[in-house]
Amino acid sequence: MRIKTILHTVSAIRAILPENMAELRKISGRSHLLGIFLSLSFVVVLSWRKWPDILIDFGRELYVPWMLHEGKVLYKDIAHLFGPFSTYLHALLFEVFGVSYLVIIWSNLLWLAGFLILLCRLMGELTDRTTAFICSLAVVWIFAAGQYIDIGNYNFASPYSHEATHGIILSVLMFYSLWRFASDHRRRHLVGAGLLLGFVFLTKAEVFAAALIAAVFLLLLSADRKNIKSNISSLGIIGFCAFVPLSVFFLYFATKMPARDAFGVIFSPLLIMSKNQDLMNNAFYLSSMGRDNIELNLVVMILHTLLVLLVVALATSFSRNLFNGKITKTNRIVYVVLMLGIVCTAFFVQPLYLGFSLPVLCAISLAVLLRACSKEPEKNRKNKKIDPIRLLAAWSVFSLLLLLKILFKARVHHYGFYLALPSVILVIAMLLWFYPKHFINDVVTGKFLRKIFVAIFCIIMFKAFLTSFACWNHRTFPVGADKDRLLVFNERVDTRGPVVTETLNWINLNTRKQDTLVVVPEGVMLNYLSRRINPTRYTNFMVPEMAIFKEQDIINDLELGAPDYFVIVHKDTSEYGVGYFGKDPVYGVKTMNWIKQNYHPVALFGKEPLQDKNVGFKILEDKNFGIKILKRKRASFRDQ
């Protein structure tokens, strides 16, 4: 009787087990999302309003949408280096919710939240939930709000260029649409992928190029060789739909300028760098790409790669031996200690050096994935289903192409916050899912190895968080008011915050709302925070902009705009291989002479700007910071 009862109980458990397992999987997925968003909330609260730089780049991200909201036209009234998507999106948000930095914050956080949901779902379908969870956590702890150098801006919360973050997110959404099409072959997913590719075109050129090539690569990799007509049709749908966003913006610009000019401005972001190849040989870009010392950077890249491969090999070897039934208890203890030692090596990884091995690891991943694609199960081919490995192969192409901009100095900080993000996700997916599944025969060993890699990744993420947290702790000085308030480094670390605050107070007290001012060489944030318009097309007078837009054209526009005030901000431009603005013969001398001829000083805050005393190598080491305000001598320059 008892035996029958037990058998009935076992049968009942087996009958309900699948439903419970499904419920458990749902609960697990929800708990992963909950963990991701709790982590994001924690990071956001600790770093609230501490993301942008006070003067460098981010002011453009606020000022340009404000000007578009006021009725100006991008490219025609405001010179711009990137696509129009992000600036017009923010102008629309300003129209609906009002002009403020807070609006941009919430927009960015919503984009980031959507990206995390998308990434978690995509990687969950391609790999498994644990891998998807760690990939999403990496975005939160390393990229979402991170600051690893003295300049902010290089994060998703307040990026130096929203075109960069929007381009990456839209590209990943495009990959997801292509994945859905490969799963159910519904044309609507192709339409979505094409539209998204068109919007990526309207962000940043390098992101679009990488997304386009990776998308074509995926379509060719998954194409049915027996149905060429269908393949051509798919490419045609994507191409046609990609032109829809471009056509919308072309029609808009055609109402504001001649059609030929409207066509030109749509493609201008792609052509700017090709027309200014000499700029790529500037010291700043050489250093950023690692081309300033290729031999040394190659050696560092190889050494870092060998170190990563050594850790993987040792972890694999120890894991296999640990679960060897013939091993003695003493040897098992030794292997456990060695495994803990391997995990603890992650504590020595510094965020500034994180990423040097990414190009080689991505190349290895691509080679391995392509080989795996050739061994795709026959049942997938008959059912016309795409193997997840194919999408990962396309992802690796996307990652490699993005890394080209920082190839010899790959990193997760600076430009790496968006260029290296797909590569980091790829490496996590390869080590947590692909490698244990395809290279480790024993299931128990594979699961244990995954836990080792998860521990290593978590330690690296925690180290990155601690580095950012140290920066956030020093960002306590408020600049701006109410919804425009941001927190910058305090006066003990950086004197820019107090000097900028004094400058803004003087502008608000001593100038009229309708007065115009131009900030040189950089600092359009002052225009935005004081709500004073720059009457020219140019918002930045740094070395790249002066080279691209030509100095004489800038001077001509200054004469036409006749600004009431000039604000000269101290800026060390030695990283570009030139001296101070207006002091170096190759940088801004004509512009500075024109300013001195037509303007006279009325206020000085901090030290005399653009002087050679007490110059530091980094922004936070520069003891010479100051801002000078100059007022126009004449009512107009047009009578000259």
Side-chain angles (χ1 to χ4, degrees), residues 74 121-122 137 196 202 209 234 266 275 289 324 388 408 436 455 459 474 489 516 532 556 578 587 591 595 608:
L74 197 64
R121 181 165 183 175
L122 176 60
L137 284 184
L196 290 165
L202 299 171
S234 298
I266 291 292
K275 291 180 179 179
M289 298 174 70
N324 187 342
F408 299 108
I459 292 171
H474 293 292
F489 286 109
T516 58
R532 301 300 192 272
N556 293 339
V578 299
Y587 177 42
T591 306
I595 293 172
E608 182 72 24

Side-chain angles (χ1 to χ4, degrees), residues 448-462:
F448 183 78
L449 188 61
R450 275 166 55 96
K451 292 177 181 178
I452 295 298
F453 290 145
V454 166
I456 291 174
F457 284 128
C458 287
I459 292 171
I460 291 173
M461 288 186 280
F462 183 65

Side-chain angles (χ1 to χ4, degrees), residues 24 43 54 58 78 112 120 228 252 262 293 316-317 408 425 433 440 501 504 534 577 589 606 621:
L24 285 173
V43 169
I54 188 174
F58 191 74
I78 301 176
L112 182 57
C120 195
I228 299 177
Y252 166 75
N293 197 338
T316 304
S317 176
F408 299 108
I425 292 171
W433 176 75
I440 308 299
T501 299
L504 289 171
N534 177 340
V589 171
E621 297 173 356

Side-chain angles (χ1 to χ4, degrees), residues 8 46 81 190 276 399 409 414 424 551 559:
H8 282 304
L46 288 180
L81 297 176
L190 279 182
N276 296 271
S399 303
K409 197 185 285 185
H414 202 241
V424 171
E551 185 171 14
E559 291 179 346

Side-chain angles (χ1 to χ4, degrees), residues 376-391:
E376 182 183 2
E378 187 66 27
K379 63 179 182 179
N380 282 351
R381 297 176 185 176
K382 290 181 180 180
N383 295 332
K384 295 183 179 181
K385 290 184 178 180
I386 185 172
D387 195 301
I389 294 174
R390 294 178 182 265
L391 187 59

Side-chain angles (χ1 to χ4, degrees), residues 364-383:
I364 293 173
S365 299
L366 177 59
V368 171
L369 290 167
L370 287 176
R371 181 173 176 79
C373 287
S374 64
K375 299 179 180 180
E376 182 183 2
E378 187 66 27
K379 63 179 182 179
N380 282 351
R381 297 176 185 176
K382 290 181 180 180
N383 295 332

